[in-house]
């Protein structure tokens, strides 16, 4: 390896010396990401394909651990003065990134400066809305997106005498009780507790999580999800938790195995759970849209995304920016998006890619993959369903989870827990507002 | 007659002390000073805006009920871990100190858990204690115990105590065994001839003679429970449910890493440092008096 590198370097040196041509320097661009397993292969393939498509730039992908680890590594590298060119950041890190003016370069600015063809309208608004300013300027480039769906064990439903998957929350509650009769430890459960029960729930019912369009319009936002509808949901779950008709599965997705093992017949989690279900579920299954309360005025509205986007870091050379802009154009290519969607199970980010996949008949064979897209595009996004942007969101989710846990464990009433989640969250928002560079 | 080495000049003495001083300065005093400085600042994650706020971070901390809860949790957790890991370590050491067949094999096996990283130990126990999947969890549930560390704070605490104790027993075992072997046989034999039964021999002779080892281990184990259990908690419970396993060091980690609140996190680590220094000082000042060297 070292020898080969030395050899190559020597060849280049000789060639340069002989022809005295201007340096053929290849600009290297570091890309830090958090993708594991098959999705890591996708990242590497994208980088390789791009590098092979031209000779001026070289994208170098590096795996940096979990989403939180990658964000922290990026922050530490920035503080030490050597941030990567591109950084993959999960959706809840969005506020942290955009508050750091000077540390990042907005994608829309980058594309304009570098003269790359870029039309924000060609992307799915439910996806780009999450990563854009209130004025519609795209701050980061959506990479892997998913949404939340409800996974259904059809065999268990049949056994419990339920004809069709539930559509509304009252149906879910009733079915959970029936299913619990056939599985002693679980009827219905869920992962990503705050993403599903607070963030998605609010968007899906068109009610605000916080003021200022859920923080998209400014850091002086105030949380307000301790509303009657949210309280009703939590009260019902607390009641069902008592006999395990609903059974809590933790804050992240560690409980997902309870669906594939057949223990929990109804399970709300990310649509990106698909490859896992496909590989491990030994029963008939499907995925349906998230349930809603039929008495809520606008429900169902549209869901919001999860996943991650690519942020461009500030203070790089214009050569590097040129390369990054070209790479983003490369990623937006319709055929490439179609391919990514079909191999990874993540959502396509452009309208053209979605239409093309649809036209090819792919969804007739894989209807589950279209469920999150139908949710996201169900209605045009409103102030309450465009996304959310709260500072310190990573830790805020922990705080919200703590309070939900207190309610489910019977230590607090549902209303008390939600009030506490809101007031503790607001304290964190004020702290963040103070440090955010304006 | 004094038997003392006299070094010529100061240079050699300074040279010999230097490596240790350098290590202390670089790895303890420097970071400690930085933490102290950081605890007076309010800063965003990227370090782009910094405000000097004197003691505001401390004042905020002392206003939050969760912080007091974490102090309580830390003391309960540490007490349980120190007591059980010492008691079980001592018990095993006494057993392995007897003349039985294959004693070397037992000793070797008893040391193995120490080689397991805390986070890995946690994963091993999660496999056994995960409700619905784990072997032990299922056995408990079959026997009518509604084992659920995901939602029940007491269960979560029991889980991390078990992992932390299991991970630390080997260390204590090793030191107790060495301590036991350094007790002269003649003393114990003399007591036996005087008619003292094994239990009495243990409590009146062996245990007091072990006191230097016990004292050393108490200090080390408290430090272990306060600091080194971070990986265990992070892997097993992430401080949950409802903060019931969130110890002081875990809160430092969580607020600093997940929350990017470096000032608040630094203030917590300064307080934690003070607590441990005071605790250790108290032990050396008062408990050590009871130790027979």
């Amino acid at each position: 390896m070292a020898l080969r590198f030395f050899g190559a370097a020597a060849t280049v040196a000789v060639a340069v010396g002989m022809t005295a041509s201007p340096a053929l320097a290849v600009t290297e661009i570091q890309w830090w990401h958090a993708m594991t397993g098959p999705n890591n292969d996708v990242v590497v393939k994208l980088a390789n394909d791009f590098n092979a498509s031209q000779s001026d730039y070289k994208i170098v992908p590096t795996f940096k651990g979990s989403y939180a680890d990658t964000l922290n590594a990026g922050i530490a590298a920035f503080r030490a003065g050597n941030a990567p060119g591109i950084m993959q950041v999960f959706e809840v890190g969005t506020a942290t990134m955009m508050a750091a003016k000077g540390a990042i370069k907005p994608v829309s600015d980058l594309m304009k400066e570098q003269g790359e063809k870029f039309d924000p309208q060609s992307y799915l608004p439910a996806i780009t809305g999450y990563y854009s300013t209130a004025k519609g300027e795209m701050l980061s480039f959506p990479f892997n997106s998913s949404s939340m769906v409800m996974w259904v064990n059809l065999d268990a439903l049949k056994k419990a005498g339920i004809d069709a998957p539930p559509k509304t929350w009252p149906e879910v509650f009733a079915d959970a009780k029936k299913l619990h009769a056939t599985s002693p430890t679980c009827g219905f459960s869920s992962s990503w507790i705050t993403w599903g029960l607070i963030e998605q729930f609010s968007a899906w019912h068109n009610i605000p999580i916080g003021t200022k369009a859920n923080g998209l319009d400014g850091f002086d936002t105030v949380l307000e999800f301790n509303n009657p509808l949210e309280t009703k949901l939590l009260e019902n779950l607390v009641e069902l938790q008592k006999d395990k008709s609903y059974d809590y599965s933790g804050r992240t997705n560690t409980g997902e195995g309870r669906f594939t093992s057949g223990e929990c017949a109804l399970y709300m989690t990310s649509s990106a759970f698909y490859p896992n279900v496909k590989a491990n579920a030994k029963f008939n299954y499907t995925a349906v849209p998230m349930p809603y309360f039929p008495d809520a005025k606008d429900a169902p509205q549209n869901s919001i995304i999860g996943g991650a986007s690519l942020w461009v870091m500030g203070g790089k050379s214009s050569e590097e920016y040129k390369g990054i802009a070209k790479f983003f154009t490369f990623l937006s290519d319709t055929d490439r998006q179609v391919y990514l969607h079909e191999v990874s199970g993540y959502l396509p980010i452009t309208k053209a890619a979605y239409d093309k996949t649809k036209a090819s008949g792919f969804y007739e064979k894989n209807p589950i993959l279209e469920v999150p897209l139908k949710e996201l595009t169900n209605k045009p996004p409103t102030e309450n369903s465009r996304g959310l942007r709260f500072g310190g969101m990573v830790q805020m989710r922990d705080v919200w989870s703590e309070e939900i846990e207190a309610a489910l464990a019977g230590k607090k009433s549902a209303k008390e827990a939600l009030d506490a989640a809101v007031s503790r969250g607001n304290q964190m928002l004020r702290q963040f507002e103070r440090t955010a560079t304006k | 007659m004094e038997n003392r080495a006299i070094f010529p000049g100061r240079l050699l003495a300074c040279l010999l002390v230097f490596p240790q001083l350098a290590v202390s300065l670089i790895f303890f005093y420097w970071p400690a000073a930085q933490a102290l400085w950081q605890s007076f600042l309010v800063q965003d994650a990227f370090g782009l805006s910094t405000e000097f706020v004197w003691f505001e971070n401390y004042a905020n901390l002392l206003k939050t009920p969760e912080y007091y809860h974490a102090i309580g949790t830390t003391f309960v957790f540490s007490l349980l871990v120190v007591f059980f890991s010492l008691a079980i370590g001592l018990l095993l050491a006494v057993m392995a100190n007897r003349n039985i067949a294959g004693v070397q094999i037992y000793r070797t096996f008893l040391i193995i858990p120490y080689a397991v990283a805390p986070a890995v130990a946690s994963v091993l126990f999660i496999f056994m204690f995960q409700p619905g999947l784990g072997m032990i969890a299922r056995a408990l549930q079959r026997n009518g115990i509604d084992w659920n560390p995901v939602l029940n704070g007491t269960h979560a605490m029991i889980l991390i105590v078990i992992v932390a104790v299991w991970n630390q027993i080997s260390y204590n075992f090793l030191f107790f065994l060495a301590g036991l072997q350094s007790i002269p046989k003649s003393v114990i034999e003399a007591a036996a001839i005087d008619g003292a039964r094994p239990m009495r021999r243990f409590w009146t002779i062996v245990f007091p003679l072990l006191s230097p080892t016990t004292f050393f281990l108490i200090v080390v184990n408290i430090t272990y429970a306060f600091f080194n259990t971070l990986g265990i908690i992070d892997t097993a419970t992430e401080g949950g449910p409802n903060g019931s396993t969130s110890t002081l060091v875990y809160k430092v980690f969580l607020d600093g890493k997940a929350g990017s609140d470096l000032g608040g996190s630094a203030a917590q680590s300064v307080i934690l440092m003070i607590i441990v220094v005071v605790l250790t000082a108290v032990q050396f000042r008062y408990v050590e008096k009871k130790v027979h060297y």
Side-chain angles (χ1 to χ4, degrees):
Chain A
M1 183 69 193
L3 195 67
R4 203 156 47 155
F5 175 76
F6 182 75
T11 319
V12 172
V14 169
V16 169
M18 270 164 53
T19 58
S21 66
L24 300 160
V26 173
T27 308
E28 278 204 2
I29 297 158
Q30 296 295 325
W31 176 16
W32 288 6
H33 68 89
M35 297 276 92
T36 52
N39 288 332
N40 181 35
D41 300 341
V42 170
V43 164
V44 173
K45 185 178 156 42
L46 282 173
N48 288 345
D49 287 357
F50 176 72
N51 295 341
S53 74
Q54 43 74 49
S55 55
D56 295 336
Y57 309 100
K58 187 169 176 236
I59 299 272
V60 185
T62 312
F63 172 68
K64 282 282 167 184
S66 71
Y67 279 137
D69 291 340
T70 308
L71 178 58
N72 283 313
I75 289 173
F78 178 82
R79 291 180 85 119
N82 51 29
I86 308 173
M87 211 166 104
Q88 185 192 20
V89 178
F90 57 163
E91 89 280 15
V92 294
T94 305
T96 305
M97 294 303 288
M98 71 167 287
K101 295 236 172 71
I104 57 137
K105 184 153 191 92
V107 164
S108 55
D109 289 1
L110 171 89
M111 299 305 258
K112 210 180 295 160
E113 278 169 32
Q114 300 301 335
E116 282 294 320
K117 198 164 110 345
F118 178 67
D119 175 19
Q121 298 302 318
S122 64
Y123 298 88
L124 287 171
I127 294 178
T128 46
Y130 205 104
Y131 302 115
S132 300
T133 62
K135 283 179 236 139
E137 293 158 329
M138 221 158 104
L139 294 170
S140 62
F141 188 86
F143 184 65
N144 54 323
S145 305
S146 58
S147 193
M148 184 162 257
V149 296
M150 192 165 68
W151 294 90
V152 183
N153 180 336
L154 292 169
D155 293 354
L157 252 61
K158 198 187 268 174
K159 210 169 125 195
I162 302 164
D163 304 330
K167 287 198 177 69
T168 66
W169 276 110
E171 285 170 27
V172 171
F173 301 145
D175 289 354
K177 283 190 188 133
K178 284 185 207 158
L179 290 163
H180 180 48
T182 58
S183 165
T185 49
C186 185
F188 159 62
S189 188
S190 56
S191 280
W192 306 113
I193 193 80
T194 60
W195 185 47
L197 299 185
I198 295 176
E199 299 161 41
Q200 294 284 9
F201 180 82
S202 300
W204 199 228
H205 290 81
N206 194 21
I207 49 175
I209 307 167
T211 56
K212 296 254 164 182
N214 291 338
L216 262 67
D217 285 352
F219 293 131
D220 50 341
T221 165
V222 180
L223 300 174
E224 52 181 1
F225 60 80
N226 48 344
N227 53 50
L229 203 61
E230 185 73 55
T231 313
K232 185 160 93 178
L233 171 71
L234 191 55
E235 274 169 354
N236 273 295
L237 293 178
V238 169
E239 197 51 43
L240 292 176
Q241 174 72 55
K242 284 182 187 156
D243 72 345
K244 287 179 178 286
S245 298
Y246 169 77
D247 194 33
Y248 182 62
S249 293
R251 298 174 189 179
T252 61
N253 63 342
T254 44
E256 281 177 349
R258 303 180 78 188
F259 177 74
T260 40
S261 74
E263 188 193 352
C264 302
L266 290 177
Y267 202 94
M268 253 172 80
T269 188
S270 169
S271 58
F273 184 33
Y274 183 53
N276 194 335
V277 177
K278 204 167 147 184
N280 297 314
K282 292 180 186 66
F283 47 80
N284 289 310
Y285 59 86
T286 188
V288 295
M290 293 183 286
Y292 58 93
F293 280 112
D295 48 344
K297 190 160 56 77
D298 300 320
Q301 172 61 38
N302 65 287
S303 70
I304 50 177
I305 54 161
S309 67
L310 304 181
W311 286 81
V312 183
M313 302 304 284
K316 300 282 163 191
S317 69
S318 69
E319 271 304 292
E320 259 185 87
Y321 283 141
K322 185 105 205 141
I324 296 171
K326 284 197 184 305
F327 181 54
F328 286 170
T329 305
F330 169 86
L331 285 180
S332 306
D333 177 73
T334 303
D335 288 335
R336 192 154 290 111
Q337 280 295 323
V338 170
Y339 165 78
L340 281 175
H341 175 42
E342 293 181 8
V343 293
S344 69
Y346 283 114
L347 309 177
I349 57 170
T350 60
K351 289 174 189 157
Y354 180 25
D355 291 341
K356 189 161 180 177
T357 315
K358 207 190 253 176
S360 73
F362 178 77
Y363 296 126
E364 271 118 61
K365 272 178 260 148
N366 304 278
I368 288 174
L369 278 179
E370 201 182 11
V371 175
L373 283 159
K374 280 185 170 160
E375 283 183 333
L376 283 167
T377 55
N378 188 43
K379 284 179 191 167
T382 69
E383 278 212 332
N384 300 324
S385 67
R386 232 179 337 138
L388 54 129
R389 200 163 299 148
F390 300 114
M393 191 62 198
V394 185
Q395 198 185 17
M396 189 113 73
R397 274 186 170 173
D398 276 333
V399 166
W400 294 356
S401 303
E402 280 182 12
E403 296 299 336
I404 292 177
E405 286 164 357
L408 290 174
K411 286 188 184 149
K412 285 183 183 172
S413 76
K415 179 69 178 148
E416 280 165 1
L418 290 173
D419 287 347
V422 163
S423 77
R424 287 175 70 188
N426 279 332
Q427 269 174 30
M428 295 166 69
L429 288 178
R430 296 295 73 80
Q431 176 84 7
F432 182 81
E433 188 185 356
R434 197 167 145 191
T435 60
T437 43
K438 295 185 181 87
Chain B
M1 196 180 85
E2 277 192 24
N3 186 11
R4 204 161 72 178
I6 310 284
F7 294 106
R10 291 206 170 155
L11 183 68
L12 182 62
C14 289
L15 266 175
L16 290 174
V17 171
F18 177 74
Q20 180 59 44
L21 272 183
V23 167
S24 302
L25 279 175
I26 294 171
F27 292 105
F28 180 72
Y29 287 99
W30 188 34
Q34 278 208 322
L36 195 63
W37 172 244
Q38 187 84 52
S39 72
F40 294 128
L41 306 178
V42 166
Q43 205 178 45
D44 74 301
F46 286 86
L48 294 167
S49 78
T50 305
E51 195 186 332
F52 188 80
V53 294
W54 285 110
F55 291 95
E56 201 188 306
N57 286 324
Y58 293 91
N60 283 342
L61 209 55
L62 299 178
K63 270 190 289 189
T64 45
E66 288 80 26
Y67 190 65
Y68 295 101
H69 188 238
I71 295 180
T73 308
T74 309
F75 279 94
V76 171
F77 173 72
S78 305
L79 211 69
L80 290 171
V81 169
V82 172
F83 177 76
F84 282 109
S85 62
L86 283 177
I88 299 172
L90 180 58
L91 183 73
L92 292 174
V94 171
M95 300 293 190
N97 196 35
R98 293 185 305 179
N99 290 319
I100 41 176
V103 70
Q104 293 298 344
I105 298 169
Y106 293 125
R107 285 179 192 168
T108 311
F109 274 101
L110 281 167
I111 295 163
I112 288 178
Y114 195 60
V116 179
V120 179
S122 252
V123 173
L124 292 176
F125 278 83
I126 288 171
F127 278 133
M128 295 187 277
F129 283 93
Q130 182 81 19
L133 300 172
M135 241 166 57
I136 297 178
R138 277 215 295 247
L140 285 170
Q141 280 165 341
R142 260 200 305 278
N143 290 301
I145 298 164
D146 180 21
W147 173 258
N148 190 4
V150 204
L151 207 54
N152 184 319
T154 314
H155 292 177
M157 180 57 97
I158 294 173
L159 177 63
I160 58 168
V161 168
I162 292 176
V163 185
V165 167
W166 181 81
N167 210 216
Q168 185 66 4
I169 286 174
S170 306
Y171 185 87
N172 297 342
F173 165 77
L174 210 60
F175 276 85
F176 274 132
L177 187 65
L180 285 171
Q181 290 184 339
S182 69
I183 294 174
K185 282 242 165 15
S186 54
V187 189
I188 297 166
E189 281 159 6
I193 293 167
D194 289 346
R197 294 188 167 280
M199 277 306 265
R200 190 172 167 83
R201 293 207 294 269
F202 177 78
W203 288 114
T204 55
I205 297 170
V206 177
F207 192 65
L209 283 175
L210 267 181
S211 60
T213 313
T214 314
F215 175 68
F216 163 77
L217 285 177
I218 288 176
V219 176
V220 170
N221 277 269
I222 288 181
T223 320
Y224 162 78
F226 263 77
F227 294 103
N228 289 10
T229 47
L230 173 83
I232 292 173
I233 297 172
D234 190 41
T235 322
T237 63
E238 295 186 42
N242 188 23
S244 51
T245 54
S246 187
T247 60
L248 288 169
V249 71
Y250 191 69
K251 235 179 112 50
V252 169
F253 164 77
L254 205 66
D255 293 357
K257 189 176 169 240
S260 300
D261 174 16
L262 294 181
S265 171
Q268 290 179 41
S269 66
V270 170
I271 296 180
L272 183 59
M273 188 158 66
I274 294 170
I275 293 178
V276 172
V277 167
V278 169
L279 260 181
T280 312
V282 165
Q283 293 175 62
F284 272 96
R285 183 83 178 74
Y286 298 103
V287 184
E288 201 189 14
K289 285 192 178 152
K290 295 194 164 47
V291 172
H292 313 262
Y293 284 103

